[in-house]
Amino acid sequence: MHRCDLLLSEHLGRWVVVRNMIAAGCLALSLPAIAAGDDALWDIPLEELGQIRVVSIASGTETPLDKAAAVTSVISADDIAAIGATDLDQVLETVPGLHVNHSDQAFSPKYIFRGITSSNNPQALMLINGIPVTTMMYGNRGNAWGGMPVKAIKRIEVIRGPGSALYGADAYSGVINIITKGPEDIGDETIGGRVGSFDTRGGWLEAASAVGDVGIGLILEYETTEGWRRTIESDAQTSLDQQFGTSASLAPGPVNTGVDQLDTRLELTGDQWIFRAGLQNRDNLGTGPGIAQALDPQGQFSSRRVNADFSYQWPDLTDGLDAEARISYFNITQEPENDIVLYPPGAFGGAFPNGLIGSPGYKEQQLRLDVSAVYLAIRNHRIHTGVGSFWADLYEVTEKKNFNPDLSPKGAVVDVSDDPNEVWMPEEDRVNYYAFLQDEWQFAQNWQLVSGVRFDDYSDFGSTVNPRAALIWATTDTMTTKLLYGRAFRAPSLNELYVANNPVALGNTELDAETIDTFELAFSHQLDAQTFYGLNVFYYEIEDLITAVAVPGQVSQEYRNSGERRGHGAEFELGYRPMESVEVSANYAYQESTDKRSDAAVGEAPNHQVYGRLEWQATPVWLIATQANWVGEQDRVSGDSRAPVDNYTTVSFTVRATDFLSDWSFSLSAHNVFDADLRAPSPFAEPVPSIPGDFPMPGREIVAELQYRF
């Protein structure tokens, strides 16, 4: 019997519910019963593991959840449909210990794991099919993110905690791996449409075919929205008006959150190879609260993310040795579509009659080559090793502006892209070489030790070594206990290293990588065939945190390794299935993160979160689901005298009819039904915050979808 997350039926031949051992999703699926004499499933073949829920993100290869050397959540396409989600952020908010906040940069999402947060949120690594989609410019997904639709997603795997021993840079506070659908996942061709609040309209197409032995899968998604135009009462220009005796501010006024999305995913599969290509195109992306937190109702960016990767596998290359090679290319652009108005006309006492205008842009390309192998010929060991290289090139930086580096006016908007004394960022590149080794050793029937280490060498800030260890104990037939340790690092972004000619912040080429050491104790119990629960506690310490520090001179701040933090907390999850047609899942997360030097709360993240979902398959056609999400109050950073951001509760409903007419399906979702006033904390600034009332988030949203399968 699987000693961690399965409670098998005593009646052979019957199907039973299988629960996630450690995952936050509290998901269920079916598994054929296995003979009672099979008291250890750690050695069953991978093809049999396909019948149970597996995760690849924790150890780099497909592994049963009870063997995963991390605290991991898995969210399937069915879960996404039950949530009624249309965007990735709505899905990730259901994961315990992960809160989705929003940045001052066009409201780009911040994925805050266990209270670890910063303006650009480079501490959370996002992968698509195991490949990072991180821009080296900011170390995040890009500030012109513009959301991510969900129709192409097969499942989402989330690590809460470090992952640098496998994934390298930025797998720091957590890792999000998005697995997209391949030809085998699409099945019938599907076309669908969507309408919703905020003047939202969209559609999608899923199609699959085969040419000989080559499978072909294609998914297209398009959506346009005006966004939630909630009001900001006071902005950065409001305080400047008080200083200069002017009335230039556009506040009160609505945030600028419209966007046009086009996403395309293509996958070709052969016997031993996979080719994937993708396009994430964003046009007319609004500037949120304004790039300088002064309302800019007309400012818009465009962004294009193009990716392609090819992998080839050699199963049984020699006895007990499987190998894989992969090459991938990623290109990301961020370009202003019009003049970006940092401060409105009349700003700074009338010195800028047309407004303070600064329109930055950049283009970046990345190339990765990875070779990895799994060796199984040593008894009770699975050795996973790999080497690789990564090259990133910031090959075009642009800027148009009407001010000098000292903020004096130029009089007209000037293209300074080719002037090294004026442009905001020099064109730089980065090279990284790495090697990793990991051993999964089952040293006793009920015990497994996973240990590993990764070495990374960077051309611009040096090298780093990151180890990990996980002791996994199948405590009883239905209980599992884990003791985990991991070290991770966050690479300085190119912006933090090299930004120049910026009156706000200056880069620092002497920066070291941020580091974090995390300790975790995790426990899970499949109480019976209907009930699962799990609990994990964690503690971490952060060194060399990169922050902008006030310095004397013309530039007010410089990036330095000046921060140290510690944090601790716990996450609890519960899954209960009282009958075949009803499923309940819930989780609770607590965290406290403090500055080690001042012992003050880090702030800008909730200390408590509670989430619950009820799904009822009323008939074979109709599914009814409701969910509630309570987010506790969020403390302020040190020095910010504002009251904490209020707690809030959102309640959502989804009704879904599958094949209510032949080949037709329909869903209706209502998010934030009671129109709660959601706020994301705005950054603190002296003498007063630029937006004192925080960032308003979406109110009530209704979405209807109609789909036809042909």
Side-chain angles (χ1 to χ4, degrees):
M1 177 176 284
H2 212 300
R3 300 186 181 275
C4 305
D5 85 328
L6 306 180
L7 183 63
L8 301 180
S9 172
E10 295 179 357
H11 303 285
L12 296 180
R14 298 190 60 183
W15 291 77
V16 296
V17 174
V18 181
R19 291 314 240 158
N20 278 0
M21 198 292 295
I22 58 166
C26 301
L27 311 173
L29 63 159
S30 296
L31 172 69
I34 297 176
D38 295 337
D39 62 347
L41 298 183
W42 280 353
D43 298 322
I44 65 177
L46 187 59
E47 57 267 27
E48 293 182 31
L49 294 179
Q51 300 177 73
I52 67 175
R53 188 168 297 279
V54 296
V55 63
S56 62
I57 192 173
S59 58
T61 58
E62 289 197 326
T63 306
L65 277 172
D66 68 316
K67 290 177 66 177
V71 177
T72 309
S73 301
V74 178
I75 306 167
S76 69
D78 289 339
D79 299 307
I80 294 172
I83 293 168
T86 59
D87 187 84
L88 175 67
D89 294 356
Q90 296 169 323
V91 182
L92 295 178
E93 186 69 7
T94 70
V95 176
L98 170 57
H99 176 57
V100 181
N101 250 342
H102 290 79
S103 167
D104 56 302
Q105 299 298 306
F107 281 165
S108 57
K110 298 198 297 181
Y111 303 128
I112 302 174
F113 288 90
R114 298 172 171 177
I116 299 173
T117 181
S118 61
S119 178
N120 287 321
N121 188 222
Q123 294 87 1
L125 177 64
M126 179 174 288
L127 314 170
I128 296 182
N129 298 311
I131 300 172
V133 290
T134 301
T135 167
M136 294 300 105
M137 173 64 84
Y138 295 112
N140 58 10
R141 283 72 53 197
N143 287 336
W145 173 248
M148 182 174 181
V150 298
K151 293 300 181 183
I153 297 176
K154 176 182 178 180
R155 72 178 187 271
I156 303 170
E157 303 172 341
V158 181
I159 286 178
R160 306 189 311 268
S164 285
L166 276 179
Y167 298 104
D170 311 325
Y172 187 88
S173 62
V175 183
I176 302 163
N177 188 24
I178 299 168
I179 309 297
T180 58
K181 295 176 182 176
E184 71 281 2
D185 305 305
I186 295 175
D188 297 327
E189 283 71 25
T190 300
I191 188 170
R194 173 189 306 124
V195 295
S197 304
F198 318 134
D199 198 18
T200 300
R201 305 175 304 281
W204 66 92
L205 169 70
E206 300 181 37
S209 184
V211 178
D213 294 332
V214 178
I216 304 172
L218 176 67
I219 299 178
L220 300 172
E221 300 180 77
Y222 175 77
E223 182 175 282
T224 179
T225 181
E226 292 296 318
W228 68 95
R229 298 181 60 81
R230 305 197 79 171
T231 298
I232 284 181
E233 298 293 337
S234 174
D235 67 357
Q237 183 60 40
T238 303
S239 60
L240 289 177
D241 284 344
Q242 294 172 353
Q243 296 178 39
F244 288 97
T246 56
S247 57
S249 175
L250 302 179
V255 293
N256 179 7
T257 55
V259 64
D260 297 334
Q261 302 174 337
L262 174 63
D263 287 65
T264 304
R265 299 285 171 187
L266 172 68
E267 182 169 320
L268 308 178
T269 59
D271 289 339
Q272 296 177 232
W273 58 270
I274 298 177
F275 171 78
R276 299 185 180 100
L279 167 67
Q280 293 176 275
N281 191 84
R282 303 293 178 263
D283 290 316
N284 304 318
L285 174 64
T287 55
I291 298 302
Q293 298 182 66
L295 292 176
D296 176 17
Q298 305 302 321
Q300 293 179 329
F301 282 94
S302 67
S303 175
R304 290 169 183 84
R305 291 180 286 275
V306 178
N307 69 278
D309 64 271
F310 177 82
S311 61
Y312 194 91
Q313 297 178 335
W314 292 273
D316 298 321
L317 187 62
T318 63
D319 185 30
L321 179 64
D322 299 335
E324 180 180 10
R326 181 176 62 191
I327 185 170
S328 63
Y329 176 77
F330 180 51
N331 185 285
I332 181 171
T333 69
Q334 178 178 313
E335 299 175 281
E337 295 188 351
N338 51 20
D339 286 342
I340 304 300
V341 180
L342 304 179
Y343 291 91
F348 296 96
F352 295 91
N354 296 318
L356 182 74
I357 296 172
S359 305
Y362 69 92
K363 296 180 180 179
E364 177 184 331
Q365 59 185 343
Q366 303 177 8
L367 183 67
R368 297 176 185 268
L369 176 63
D370 310 276
V371 180
S372 62
V374 176
Y375 187 60
L376 301 171
I378 302 176
R379 184 176 178 180
N380 297 326
H381 288 266
R382 179 167 69 171
I383 299 173
H384 185 201
T385 185
V387 296
S389 62
F390 163 65
W391 170 71
D393 179 26
L394 189 64
Y395 65 93
E396 184 174 326
V397 177
T398 62
E399 184 176 16
K400 295 180 180 180
K401 61 183 181 180
N402 65 349
F403 61 92
N404 296 305
D406 62 357
L407 277 181
S408 62
K410 286 181 176 295
V413 176
V414 178
D415 189 336
V416 298
S417 303
D418 297 324
D419 187 344
N421 297 314
E422 290 274 1
V423 70
W424 67 289
M425 179 79 187
E427 295 174 2
E428 298 286 346
D429 60 14
R430 164 177 286 176
V431 179
N432 165 226
Y433 299 98
Y434 76 85
F436 72 87
L437 177 66
Q438 176 177 274
D439 178 39
E440 300 174 40
W441 175 29
Q442 187 185 341
F443 61 89
Q445 183 177 14
N446 301 334
W447 291 86
Q448 186 181 53
L449 176 65
V450 179
S451 56
V453 64
R454 172 165 163 153
F455 171 79
D456 284 85
D457 183 70
Y458 281 80
S459 60
D460 49 5
F461 68 88
S463 59
T464 177
V465 177
N466 294 272
R468 73 183 304 193
L471 183 62
I472 304 169
W473 175 32
T475 316
T476 72
D477 286 348
T478 60
M479 295 182 186
T480 298
T481 305
K482 297 183 180 183
L483 181 62
L484 310 171
Y485 164 75
R487 165 168 276 231
F489 75 101
R490 200 273 284 184
S493 70
L494 297 184
N495 178 70
E496 291 165 334
L497 288 167
Y498 303 115
V499 67
N501 306 318
N502 185 325
V504 176
L506 181 67
N508 180 0
T509 58
E510 301 300 317
L511 290 175
D512 295 322
E514 295 180 1
T515 61
I516 183 172
D517 290 278
T518 303
F519 302 86
E520 300 174 84
L521 179 63
F523 168 82
S524 69
H525 185 196
Q526 186 73 48
L527 185 63
D528 54 37
Q530 291 78 37
T531 310
F532 161 86
Y533 67 92
L535 173 68
N536 64 280
V537 295
F538 61 86
Y539 174 82
Y540 61 77
E541 291 196 356
I542 294 174
E543 303 289 339
D544 291 326
L545 186 73
I546 299 172
T547 58
V549 176
V551 293
Q554 180 176 311
V555 178
S556 60
Q557 294 178 317
E558 181 184 59
Y559 290 109
R560 293 182 180 176
N561 293 107
S562 60
E564 297 180 359
R565 293 180 182 177
R566 68 168 64 92
H568 66 274
E571 295 147 0
F572 175 79
E573 49 202 313
L574 172 69
Y576 178 55
R577 193 163 195 149
M579 60 186 69
E580 186 66 26
S581 60
V582 176
E583 183 173 2
V584 179
S585 58
N587 61 66
Y588 164 75
Y590 159 75
Q591 68 80 23
E592 185 173 342
S593 180
T594 58
D595 185 289
K596 291 174 65 175
R597 297 174 180 175
S598 66
D599 206 31
V602 170
E604 296 190 344
N607 294 111
H608 303 271
Q609 294 172 257
V610 179
Y611 172 80
R613 184 168 82 245
L614 170 66
E615 297 177 37
W616 176 34
Q617 190 72 52
T619 72
V621 172
W622 291 94
L623 171 71
I624 301 173
T626 182
Q627 57 181 338
N629 189 35
W630 179 80
V631 176
E633 69 177 23
Q634 301 174 62
D635 291 332
R636 303 294 184 177
V637 300
S638 179
D640 190 341
S641 61
R642 290 179 293 174
V645 180
D646 284 342
N647 63 72
Y648 61 81
T649 302
T650 60
V651 178
S652 303
F653 296 95
T654 297
V655 177
R656 183 172 300 276
T658 303
D659 290 332
F660 71 97
L661 295 175
S662 179
D663 299 321
W664 287 89
S665 298
F666 169 79
S667 70
L668 180 66
S669 298
H671 302 284
N672 192 9
V673 172
F674 301 110
D675 201 23
D677 184 15
L678 280 60
R679 299 276 165 165
S682 61
F684 175 60
E686 294 282 5
V688 294
S690 297
I691 298 182
D694 296 308
F695 298 145
M697 293 293 105
R700 184 186 298 112
E701 180 181 9
I702 310 296
V703 179
E705 295 183 344
L706 183 65
Q707 175 178 289
Y708 177 67
R709 186 178 66 250
F710 56 95

